[in-house]
PDB file of all heavy atoms in Angstrom:
ATOM      1  N   GLU A   1      58.712 -52.875   0.926  1.00 97.00           N
ATOM      2  CA  GLU A   1      58.521 -51.495   0.531  1.00 97.00           C
ATOM      3  C   GLU A   1      58.172 -50.705   1.759  1.00 97.00           C
ATOM      4  O   GLU A   1      57.413 -51.193   2.597  1.00 97.00           O
ATOM      5  CB  GLU A   1      57.416 -51.407  -0.508  1.00 97.00           C
ATOM      6  CG  GLU A   1      57.185 -49.976  -1.003  1.00 97.00           C
ATOM      7  CD  GLU A   1      56.192 -49.919  -2.156  1.00 97.00           C
ATOM      8  OE1 GLU A   1      55.202 -50.691  -2.113  1.00 97.00           O
ATOM      9  OE2 GLU A   1      56.415 -49.137  -3.078  1.00 97.00           O
ATOM     10  N   CYS A   2      58.649 -49.487   1.832  1.00 97.00           N
ATOM     11  CA  CYS A   2      58.281 -48.653   2.987  1.00 97.00           C
ATOM     12  C   CYS A   2      58.065 -47.240   2.534  1.00 97.00           C
ATOM     13  O   CYS A   2      58.514 -46.798   1.450  1.00 97.00           O
ATOM     14  CB  CYS A   2      59.348 -48.735   4.084  1.00 97.00           C
ATOM     15  SG  CYS A   2      60.893 -47.841   3.713  1.00 97.00           S
ATOM     16  N   LEU A   3      57.323 -46.498   3.356  1.00 96.00           N
ATOM     17  CA  LEU A   3      57.198 -45.039   3.094  1.00 96.00           C
ATOM     18  C   LEU A   3      57.638 -44.280   4.352  1.00 96.00           C
ATOM     19  O   LEU A   3      57.517 -44.820   5.413  1.00 96.00           O
ATOM     20  CB  LEU A   3      55.796 -44.722   2.661  1.00 96.00           C
ATOM     21  CG  LEU A   3      54.607 -44.856   3.621  1.00 96.00           C
ATOM     22  CD1 LEU A   3      54.457 -43.662   4.484  1.00 96.00           C
ATOM     23  CD2 LEU A   3      53.342 -45.142   2.848  1.00 96.00           C
ATOM     24  N   SER A   4      58.017 -43.036   4.141  1.00 97.00           N
ATOM     25  CA  SER A   4      58.581 -42.242   5.192  1.00 97.00           C
ATOM     26  C   SER A   4      57.483 -41.337   5.749  1.00 97.00           C
ATOM     27  O   SER A   4      56.844 -40.535   5.036  1.00 97.00           O
ATOM     28  CB  SER A   4      59.722 -41.364   4.680  1.00 97.00           C
ATOM     29  OG  SER A   4      60.037 -40.357   5.597  1.00 97.00           O
ATOM     30  N   LEU A   5      57.184 -41.545   7.038  1.00 97.00           N
ATOM     31  CA  LEU A   5      56.216 -40.614   7.622  1.00 97.00           C
ATOM     32  C   LEU A   5      56.824 -39.329   8.068  1.00 97.00           C
ATOM     33  O   LEU A   5      56.160 -38.396   8.620  1.00 97.00           O
ATOM     34  CB  LEU A   5      55.551 -41.311   8.918  1.00 97.00           C
ATOM     35  CG  LEU A   5      54.816 -42.584   8.580  1.00 97.00           C
ATOM     36  CD1 LEU A   5      54.012 -43.035   9.866  1.00 97.00           C
ATOM     37  CD2 LEU A   5      53.925 -42.473   7.380  1.00 97.00           C
ATOM     38  N   ALA A   6      58.137 -39.129   7.824  1.00 95.00           N
ATOM     39  CA  ALA A   6      58.737 -37.828   7.970  1.00 95.00           C
ATOM     40  C   ALA A   6      58.370 -36.916   6.793  1.00 95.00           C
ATOM     41  O   ALA A   6      58.606 -35.662   6.855  1.00 95.00           O
ATOM     42  CB  ALA A   6      60.247 -37.924   8.008  1.00 95.00           C
ATOM     43  N   SER A   7      57.718 -37.468   5.727  1.00 93.00           N
ATOM     44  CA  SER A   7      57.448 -36.699   4.554  1.00 93.00           C
ATOM     45  C   SER A   7      56.012 -36.192   4.518  1.00 93.00           C
ATOM     46  O   SER A   7      55.632 -35.460   3.603  1.00 93.00           O
ATOM     47  CB  SER A   7      57.647 -37.548   3.312  1.00 93.00           C
ATOM     48  OG  SER A   7      58.971 -37.970   3.208  1.00 93.00           O
ATOM     49  N   ILE A   8      55.212 -36.503   5.534  1.00 93.00           N
ATOM     50  CA  ILE A   8      53.832 -36.051   5.540  1.00 93.00           C
ATOM     51  C   ILE A   8      53.820 -34.655   6.197  1.00 93.00           C
ATOM     52  O   ILE A   8      54.801 -34.156   6.725  1.00 93.00           O
ATOM     53  CB  ILE A   8      52.894 -37.053   6.287  1.00 93.00           C
ATOM     54  CG1 ILE A   8      53.358 -37.264   7.734  1.00 93.00           C
ATOM     55  CG2 ILE A   8      52.860 -38.344   5.531  1.00 93.00           C
ATOM     56  CD1 ILE A   8      52.495 -38.313   8.529  1.00 93.00           C
ATOM     57  N   PRO A   9      52.685 -33.913   6.140  1.00 91.00           N
ATOM     58  CA  PRO A   9      52.630 -32.531   6.659  1.00 91.00           C
ATOM     59  C   PRO A   9      53.229 -32.462   8.107  1.00 91.00           C
ATOM     60  O   PRO A   9      53.087 -33.374   8.912  1.00 91.00           O
ATOM     61  CB  PRO A   9      51.128 -32.185   6.642  1.00 91.00           C
ATOM     62  CG  PRO A   9      50.640 -33.031   5.466  1.00 91.00           C
ATOM     63  CD  PRO A   9      51.391 -34.289   5.510  1.00 91.00           C
ATOM     64  N   ASP A  10      53.791 -31.260   8.358  1.00 87.00           N
ATOM     65  CA  ASP A  10      54.603 -31.068   9.551  1.00 87.00           C
ATOM     66  C   ASP A  10      53.893 -31.472  10.849  1.00 87.00           C
ATOM     67  O   ASP A  10      54.496 -32.130  11.697  1.00 87.00           O
ATOM     68  CB  ASP A  10      55.011 -29.602   9.656  1.00 87.00           C
ATOM     69  CG  ASP A  10      56.130 -29.228   8.640  1.00 87.00           C
ATOM     70  OD1 ASP A  10      56.706 -30.197   8.074  1.00 87.00           O
ATOM     71  OD2 ASP A  10      56.344 -28.088   8.430  1.00 87.00           O
ATOM     72  N   LYS A  11      52.629 -31.106  10.995  1.00 92.00           N
ATOM     73  CA  LYS A  11      51.968 -31.301  12.306  1.00 92.00           C
ATOM     74  C   LYS A  11      51.667 -32.813  12.462  1.00 92.00           C
ATOM     75  O   LYS A  11      51.391 -33.230  13.616  1.00 92.00           O
ATOM     76  CB  LYS A  11      50.698 -30.546  12.462  1.00 92.00           C
ATOM     77  CG  LYS A  11      49.537 -30.923  11.471  1.00 92.00           C
ATOM     78  CD  LYS A  11      48.346 -30.002  11.788  1.00 92.00           C
ATOM     79  CE  LYS A  11      47.145 -30.334  10.892  1.00 92.00           C
ATOM     80  NZ  LYS A  11      45.988 -29.512  11.184  1.00 92.00           N
ATOM     81  N   CYS A  12      51.833 -33.648  11.456  1.00 96.00           N
ATOM     82  CA  CYS A  12      51.610 -35.081  11.522  1.00 96.00           C
ATOM     83  C   CYS A  12      52.905 -35.812  11.348  1.00 96.00           C
ATOM     84  O   CYS A  12      52.976 -37.073  11.611  1.00 96.00           O
ATOM     85  CB  CYS A  12      50.624 -35.567  10.459  1.00 96.00           C
ATOM     86  SG  CYS A  12      49.012 -34.781  10.589  1.00 96.00           S
ATOM     87  N   ALA A  13      53.957 -35.172  10.853  1.00 95.00           N
ATOM     88  CA  ALA A  13      55.177 -35.848  10.514  1.00 95.00           C
ATOM     89  C   ALA A  13      55.830 -36.499  11.779  1.00 95.00           C
ATOM     90  O   ALA A  13      55.688 -36.023  12.890  1.00 95.00           O
ATOM     91  CB  ALA A  13      56.175 -34.922   9.871  1.00 95.00           C
ATOM     92  N   GLN A  14      56.481 -37.635  11.546  1.00 96.00           N
ATOM     93  CA  GLN A  14      57.169 -38.327  12.641  1.00 96.00           C
ATOM     94  C   GLN A  14      58.348 -39.093  12.066  1.00 96.00           C
ATOM     95  O   GLN A  14      58.336 -39.472  10.903  1.00 96.00           O
ATOM     96  CB  GLN A  14      56.211 -39.284  13.353  1.00 96.00           C
ATOM     97  CG  GLN A  14      55.458 -40.210  12.462  1.00 96.00           C
ATOM     98  CD  GLN A  14      54.487 -41.124  13.198  1.00 96.00           C
ATOM     99  OE1 GLN A  14      54.868 -41.992  13.963  1.00 96.00           O
ATOM    100  NE2 GLN A  14      53.198 -40.868  13.059  1.00 96.00           N
ATOM    101  N   PRO A  15      59.373 -39.329  12.816  1.00 97.00           N
ATOM    102  CA  PRO A  15      60.572 -40.049  12.349  1.00 97.00           C
ATOM    103  C   PRO A  15      60.351 -41.534  12.264  1.00 97.00           C
ATOM    104  O   PRO A  15      60.973 -42.360  12.944  1.00 97.00           O
ATOM    105  CB  PRO A  15      61.574 -39.661  13.411  1.00 97.00           C
ATOM    106  CG  PRO A  15      60.835 -39.534  14.666  1.00 97.00           C
ATOM    107  CD  PRO A  15      59.504 -38.930  14.270  1.00 97.00           C
ATOM    108  N   THR A  16      59.371 -41.902  11.453  1.00 98.00           N
ATOM    109  CA  THR A  16      58.912 -43.294  11.363  1.00 98.00           C
ATOM    110  C   THR A  16      58.866 -43.770   9.975  1.00 98.00           C
ATOM    111  O   THR A  16      58.553 -43.032   9.010  1.00 98.00           O
ATOM    112  CB  THR A  16      57.461 -43.416  11.957  1.00 98.00           C
ATOM    113  OG1 THR A  16      57.516 -43.001  13.351  1.00 98.00           O
ATOM    114  CG2 THR A  16      56.941 -44.805  11.833  1.00 98.00           C
ATOM    115  N   LEU A  17      59.262 -45.073   9.757  1.00 98.00           N
ATOM    116  CA  LEU A  17      59.135 -45.758   8.510  1.00 98.00           C
ATOM    117  C   LEU A  17      57.957 -46.718   8.661  1.00 98.00           C
ATOM    118  O   LEU A  17      57.900 -47.460   9.618  1.00 98.00           O
ATOM    119  CB  LEU A  17      60.404 -46.520   8.193  1.00 98.00           C
ATOM    120  CG  LEU A  17      61.663 -45.702   7.954  1.00 98.00           C
ATOM    121  CD1 LEU A  17      62.921 -46.550   7.853  1.00 98.00           C
ATOM    122  CD2 LEU A  17      61.569 -44.797   6.687  1.00 98.00           C
ATOM    123  N   LEU A  18      57.120 -46.755   7.642  1.00 98.00           N
ATOM    124  CA  LEU A  18      56.014 -47.689   7.633  1.00 98.00           C
ATOM    125  C   LEU A  18      56.296 -48.738   6.539  1.00 98.00           C
ATOM    126  O   LEU A  18      56.340 -48.417   5.338  1.00 98.00           O
ATOM    127  CB  LEU A  18      54.674 -46.983   7.277  1.00 98.00           C
ATOM    128  CG  LEU A  18      53.482 -47.838   6.912  1.00 98.00           C
ATOM    129  CD1 LEU A  18      53.172 -48.906   7.938  1.00 98.00           C
ATOM    130  CD2 LEU A  18      52.239 -46.948   6.700  1.00 98.00           C
ATOM    131  N   PHE A  19      56.571 -49.981   6.988  1.00 98.00           N
ATOM    132  CA  PHE A  19      56.829 -51.080   6.044  1.00 98.00           C
ATOM    133  C   PHE A  19      55.538 -51.785   5.728  1.00 98.00           C
ATOM    134  O   PHE A  19      54.801 -52.180   6.719  1.00 98.00           O
ATOM    135  CB  PHE A  19      57.821 -52.046   6.631  1.00 98.00           C
ATOM    136  CG  PHE A  19      59.266 -51.599   6.492  1.00 98.00           C
ATOM    137  CD1 PHE A  19      59.756 -50.674   7.363  1.00 98.00           C
ATOM    138  CD2 PHE A  19      60.050 -52.064   5.444  1.00 98.00           C
ATOM    139  CE1 PHE A  19      61.131 -50.256   7.263  1.00 98.00           C
ATOM    140  CE2 PHE A  19      61.369 -51.694   5.342  1.00 98.00           C
ATOM    141  CZ  PHE A  19      61.920 -50.783   6.210  1.00 98.00           C
ATOM    142  N   TYR A  20      55.268 -52.030   4.516  1.00 98.00           N
ATOM    143  CA  TYR A  20      54.123 -52.888   4.133  1.00 98.00           C
ATOM    144  C   TYR A  20      54.688 -54.264   3.741  1.00 98.00           C
ATOM    145  O   TYR A  20      55.558 -54.372   2.837  1.00 98.00           O
ATOM    146  CB  TYR A  20      53.380 -52.340   2.862  1.00 98.00           C
ATOM    147  CG  TYR A  20      52.601 -51.136   3.174  1.00 98.00           C
ATOM    148  CD1 TYR A  20      53.121 -49.827   2.913  1.00 98.00           C
ATOM    149  CD2 TYR A  20      51.335 -51.134   3.676  1.00 98.00           C
ATOM    150  CE1 TYR A  20      52.409 -48.664   3.117  1.00 98.00           C
ATOM    151  CE2 TYR A  20      50.600 -50.026   3.966  1.00 98.00           C
ATOM    152  CZ  TYR A  20      51.111 -48.762   3.661  1.00 98.00           C
ATOM    153  OH  TYR A  20      50.403 -47.611   3.922  1.00 98.00           O
ATOM    154  N   THR A  21      54.210 -55.318   4.344  1.00 98.00           N
ATOM    155  CA  THR A  21      54.650 -56.704   4.041  1.00 98.00           C
ATOM    156  C   THR A  21      53.437 -57.508   3.811  1.00 98.00           C
ATOM    157  O   THR A  21      52.356 -57.221   4.359  1.00 98.00           O
ATOM    158  CB  THR A  21      55.515 -57.247   5.193  1.00 98.00           C
ATOM    159  OG1 THR A  21      56.076 -58.486   4.754  1.00 98.00           O
ATOM    160  CG2 THR A  21      54.747 -57.353   6.482  1.00 98.00           C
ATOM    161  N   TYR A  22      53.456 -58.547   3.006  1.00 98.00           N
ATOM    162  CA  TYR A  22      52.323 -59.203   2.504  1.00 98.00           C
ATOM    163  C   TYR A  22      52.639 -60.666   2.182  1.00 98.00           C
ATOM    164  O   TYR A  22      53.776 -61.120   2.065  1.00 98.00           O
ATOM    165  CB  TYR A  22      51.787 -58.494   1.259  1.00 98.00           C
ATOM    166  CG  TYR A  22      52.842 -58.435   0.122  1.00 98.00           C
ATOM    167  CD1 TYR A  22      52.911 -59.438  -0.797  1.00 98.00           C
ATOM    168  CD2 TYR A  22      53.743 -57.372   0.108  1.00 98.00           C
ATOM    169  CE1 TYR A  22      53.861 -59.395  -1.813  1.00 98.00           C
ATOM    170  CE2 TYR A  22      54.709 -57.335  -0.901  1.00 98.00           C
ATOM    171  CZ  TYR A  22      54.782 -58.340  -1.843  1.00 98.00           C
ATOM    172  OH  TYR A  22      55.746 -58.294  -2.781  1.00 98.00           O
ATOM    173  N   GLY A  23      51.550 -61.476   2.041  1.00 97.00           N
ATOM    174  CA  GLY A  23      51.666 -62.809   1.537  1.00 97.00           C
ATOM    175  C   GLY A  23      52.474 -63.727   2.530  1.00 97.00           C
ATOM    176  O   GLY A  23      52.471 -63.491   3.784  1.00 97.00           O
ATOM    177  N   PRO A  24      53.243 -64.682   1.995  1.00 98.00           N
ATOM    178  CA  PRO A  24      53.960 -65.598   2.898  1.00 98.00           C
ATOM    179  C   PRO A  24      54.997 -64.932   3.773  1.00 98.00           C
ATOM    180  O   PRO A  24      55.241 -65.395   4.907  1.00 98.00           O
ATOM    181  CB  PRO A  24      54.685 -66.544   1.853  1.00 98.00           C
ATOM    182  CG  PRO A  24      53.814 -66.494   0.637  1.00 98.00           C
ATOM    183  CD  PRO A  24      53.307 -65.132   0.568  1.00 98.00           C
ATOM    184  N   CYS A  25      55.544 -63.810   3.315  1.00 98.00           N
ATOM    185  CA  CYS A  25      56.546 -63.118   4.155  1.00 98.00           C
ATOM    186  C   CYS A  25      55.801 -62.556   5.388  1.00 98.00           C
ATOM    187  O   CYS A  25      56.288 -62.691   6.479  1.00 98.00           O
ATOM    188  CB  CYS A  25      57.184 -61.953   3.362  1.00 98.00           C
ATOM    189  SG  CYS A  25      58.330 -60.961   4.335  1.00 98.00           S
ATOM    190  N   ALA A  26      54.678 -61.920   5.163  1.00 98.00           N
ATOM    191  CA  ALA A  26      53.941 -61.402   6.320  1.00 98.00           C
ATOM    192  C   ALA A  26      53.523 -62.558   7.255  1.00 98.00           C
ATOM    193  O   ALA A  26      53.543 -62.349   8.473  1.00 98.00           O
ATOM    194  CB  ALA A  26      52.684 -60.652   5.786  1.00 98.00           C
ATOM    195  N   THR A  27      53.073 -63.623   6.718  1.00 98.00           N
ATOM    196  CA  THR A  27      52.711 -64.762   7.480  1.00 98.00           C
ATOM    197  C   THR A  27      53.888 -65.240   8.373  1.00 98.00           C
ATOM    198  O   THR A  27      53.752 -65.595   9.607  1.00 98.00           O
ATOM    199  CB  THR A  27      52.202 -65.954   6.660  1.00 98.00           C
ATOM    200  OG1 THR A  27      51.074 -65.481   5.914  1.00 98.00           O
ATOM    201  CG2 THR A  27      51.853 -67.161   7.532  1.00 98.00           C
ATOM    202  N   GLN A  28      55.113 -65.249   7.764  1.00 98.00           N
ATOM    203  CA  GLN A  28      56.298 -65.724   8.504  1.00 98.00           C
ATOM    204  C   GLN A  28      56.582 -64.754   9.665  1.00 98.00           C
ATOM    205  O   GLN A  28      56.861 -65.170  10.787  1.00 98.00           O
ATOM    206  CB  GLN A  28      57.458 -65.772   7.555  1.00 98.00           C
ATOM    207  CG  GLN A  28      58.796 -66.095   8.242  1.00 98.00           C
ATOM    208  CD  GLN A  28      58.843 -67.533   8.672  1.00 98.00           C
ATOM    209  OE1 GLN A  28      58.161 -68.411   8.176  1.00 98.00           O
ATOM    210  NE2 GLN A  28      59.729 -67.816   9.669  1.00 98.00           N
ATOM    211  N   VAL A  29      56.507 -63.472   9.417  1.00 98.00           N
ATOM    212  CA  VAL A  29      56.779 -62.436  10.459  1.00 98.00           C
ATOM    213  C   VAL A  29      55.821 -62.551  11.558  1.00 98.00           C
ATOM    214  O   VAL A  29      56.144 -62.535  12.743  1.00 98.00           O
ATOM    215  CB  VAL A  29      56.870 -61.047   9.865  1.00 98.00           C
ATOM    216  CG1 VAL A  29      56.972 -60.010  10.931  1.00 98.00           C
ATOM    217  CG2 VAL A  29      57.974 -60.910   8.880  1.00 98.00           C
ATOM    218  N   VAL A  30      54.496 -62.651  11.194  1.00 98.00           N
ATOM    219  CA  VAL A  30      53.442 -62.749  12.186  1.00 98.00           C
ATOM    220  C   VAL A  30      53.684 -63.949  13.065  1.00 98.00           C
ATOM    221  O   VAL A  30      53.469 -63.971  14.297  1.00 98.00           O
ATOM    222  CB  VAL A  30      52.060 -62.703  11.551  1.00 98.00           C
ATOM    223  CG1 VAL A  30      50.984 -63.060  12.591  1.00 98.00           C
ATOM    224  CG2 VAL A  30      51.790 -61.346  11.006  1.00 98.00           C
ATOM    225  N   SER A  31      54.040 -65.089  12.423  1.00 98.00           N
ATOM    226  CA  SER A  31      54.238 -66.357  13.199  1.00 98.00           C
ATOM    227  C   SER A  31      55.318 -66.218  14.276  1.00 98.00           C
ATOM    228  O   SER A  31      55.266 -66.832  15.255  1.00 98.00           O
ATOM    229  CB  SER A  31      54.534 -67.501  12.249  1.00 98.00           C
ATOM    230  OG  SER A  31      55.860 -67.361  11.748  1.00 98.00           O
ATOM    231  N   GLU A  32      56.308 -65.301  13.994  1.00 98.00           N
ATOM    232  CA  GLU A  32      57.442 -65.136  14.943  1.00 98.00           C
ATOM    233  C   GLU A  32      57.051 -64.229  16.109  1.00 98.00           C
ATOM    234  O   GLU A  32      57.728 -64.280  17.156  1.00 98.00           O
ATOM    235  CB  GLU A  32      58.640 -64.625  14.160  1.00 98.00           C
ATOM    236  CG  GLU A  32      59.190 -65.588  13.202  1.00 98.00           C
ATOM    237  CD  GLU A  32      60.401 -65.036  12.435  1.00 98.00           C
ATOM    238  OE1 GLU A  32      60.906 -63.949  12.806  1.00 98.00           O
ATOM    239  OE2 GLU A  32      60.860 -65.706  11.460  1.00 98.00           O
ATOM    240  N   ILE A  33      56.043 -63.373  15.957  1.00 98.00           N
ATOM    241  CA  ILE A  33      55.718 -62.371  17.004  1.00 98.00           C
ATOM    242  C   ILE A  33      54.373 -62.651  17.630  1.00 98.00           C
ATOM    243  O   ILE A  33      54.045 -61.963  18.634  1.00 98.00           O
ATOM    244  CB  ILE A  33      55.762 -60.956  16.436  1.00 98.00           C
ATOM    245  CG1 ILE A  33      54.688 -60.711  15.408  1.00 98.00           C
ATOM    246  CG2 ILE A  33      57.145 -60.586  15.983  1.00 98.00           C
ATOM    247  CD1 ILE A  33      54.505 -59.242  15.008  1.00 98.00           C
ATOM    248  N   LYS A  34      53.620 -63.559  17.110  1.00 96.00           N
ATOM    249  CA  LYS A  34      52.189 -63.685  17.533  1.00 96.00           C
ATOM    250  C   LYS A  34      52.037 -63.985  19.016  1.00 96.00           C
ATOM    251  O   LYS A  34      51.036 -63.597  19.643  1.00 96.00           O
ATOM    252  CB  LYS A  34      51.506 -64.745  16.772  1.00 96.00           C
ATOM    253  CG  LYS A  34      51.983 -66.233  16.915  1.00 96.00           C
ATOM    254  CD  LYS A  34      51.220 -67.141  16.011  1.00 96.00           C
ATOM    255  CE  LYS A  34      51.725 -68.578  16.097  1.00 96.00           C
ATOM    256  NZ  LYS A  34      51.513 -69.145  17.444  1.00 96.00           N
ATOM    257  N   ASP A  35      52.997 -64.585  19.663  1.00 97.00           N
ATOM    258  CA  ASP A  35      52.908 -64.954  21.092  1.00 97.00           C
ATOM    259  C   ASP A  35      53.745 -64.026  21.969  1.00 97.00           C
ATOM    260  O   ASP A  35      53.887 -64.241  23.150  1.00 97.00           O
ATOM    261  CB  ASP A  35      53.336 -66.396  21.347  1.00 97.00           C
ATOM    262  CG  ASP A  35      52.384 -67.400  20.605  1.00 97.00           C
ATOM    263  OD1 ASP A  35      51.172 -67.133  20.583  1.00 97.00           O
ATOM    264  OD2 ASP A  35      52.926 -68.363  20.092  1.00 97.00           O
ATOM    265  N   LEU A  36      54.286 -62.922  21.369  1.00 98.00           N
ATOM    266  CA  LEU A  36      55.213 -62.046  22.138  1.00 98.00           C
ATOM    267  C   LEU A  36      54.419 -60.795  22.586  1.00 98.00           C
ATOM    268  O   LEU A  36      53.598 -60.260  21.885  1.00 98.00           O
ATOM    269  CB  LEU A  36      56.401 -61.627  21.260  1.00 98.00           C
ATOM    270  CG  LEU A  36      57.281 -62.766  20.711  1.00 98.00           C
ATOM    271  CD1 LEU A  36      58.410 -62.172  19.844  1.00 98.00           C
ATOM    272  CD2 LEU A  36      57.889 -63.586  21.853  1.00 98.00           C
ATOM    273  N   ASN A  37      54.808 -60.388  23.760  1.00 97.00           N
ATOM    274  CA  ASN A  37      54.281 -59.107  24.287  1.00 97.00           C
ATOM    275  C   ASN A  37      54.850 -57.953  23.497  1.00 97.00           C
ATOM    276  O   ASN A  37      56.107 -57.848  23.450  1.00 97.00           O
ATOM    277  CB  ASN A  37      54.586 -58.998  25.767  1.00 97.00           C
ATOM    278  CG  ASN A  37      53.976 -57.748  26.416  1.00 97.00           C
ATOM    279  OD1 ASN A  37      53.693 -56.736  25.780  1.00 97.00           O
ATOM    280  ND2 ASN A  37      53.766 -57.811  27.728  1.00 97.00           N
ATOM    281  N   PRO A  38      54.017 -57.060  22.914  1.00 96.00           N
ATOM    282  CA  PRO A  38      54.596 -55.967  22.138  1.00 96.00           C
ATOM    283  C   PRO A  38      55.487 -55.027  22.942  1.00 96.00           C
ATOM    284  O   PRO A  38      56.258 -54.227  22.408  1.00 96.00           O
ATOM    285  CB  PRO A  38      53.341 -55.183  21.636  1.00 96.00           C
ATOM    286  CG  PRO A  38      52.273 -56.229  21.680  1.00 96.00           C
ATOM    287  CD  PRO A  38      52.559 -57.147  22.795  1.00 96.00           C
ATOM    288  N   LEU A  39      55.460 -55.112  24.271  1.00 95.00           N
ATOM    289  CA  LEU A  39      56.280 -54.261  25.130  1.00 95.00           C
ATOM    290  C   LEU A  39      57.633 -54.966  25.465  1.00 95.00           C
ATOM    291  O   LEU A  39      58.492 -54.398  26.131  1.00 95.00           O
ATOM    292  CB  LEU A  39      55.578 -53.849  26.387  1.00 95.00           C
ATOM    293  CG  LEU A  39      54.305 -53.019  26.183  1.00 95.00           C
ATOM    294  CD1 LEU A  39      53.650 -52.759  27.522  1.00 95.00           C
ATOM    295  CD2 LEU A  39      54.564 -51.749  25.449  1.00 95.00           C
ATOM    296  N   SER A  40      57.783 -56.241  25.046  1.00 97.00           N
ATOM    297  CA  SER A  40      58.909 -56.997  25.435  1.00 97.00           C
ATOM    298  C   SER A  40      60.130 -56.708  24.531  1.00 97.00           C
ATOM    299  O   SER A  40      60.019 -56.298  23.386  1.00 97.00           O
ATOM    300  CB  SER A  40      58.628 -58.483  25.438  1.00 97.00           C
ATOM    301  OG  SER A  40      58.417 -58.948  24.053  1.00 97.00           O
TER     302      SER A  40
END
């Protein structure tokens, strides 16, 4: 599920999607990025 941050008030709006992930799926995703540099 995601929400659009383009839909919030203009001065805060941004072309961004915020995905909420949870449970085993979230654990799987975190396991794949936990050792990676966020800038890589």
Side-chain angles (χ1 to χ4, degrees):
E1 181 172 41
C2 73
L3 66 87
S4 167
L5 298 191
S7 299
I8 60 180
D10 287 345
K11 66 179 180 179
C12 301
Q14 52 182 289
T16 298
L17 297 169
L18 167 53
F19 279 82
Y20 289 97
T21 187
Y22 57 91
C25 177
T27 300
Q28 177 69 25
V29 173
V30 169
S31 72
E32 294 180 8
I33 64 169
K34 64 183 179 65
D35 297 321
L36 301 180
N37 184 333
L39 299 178
S40 69

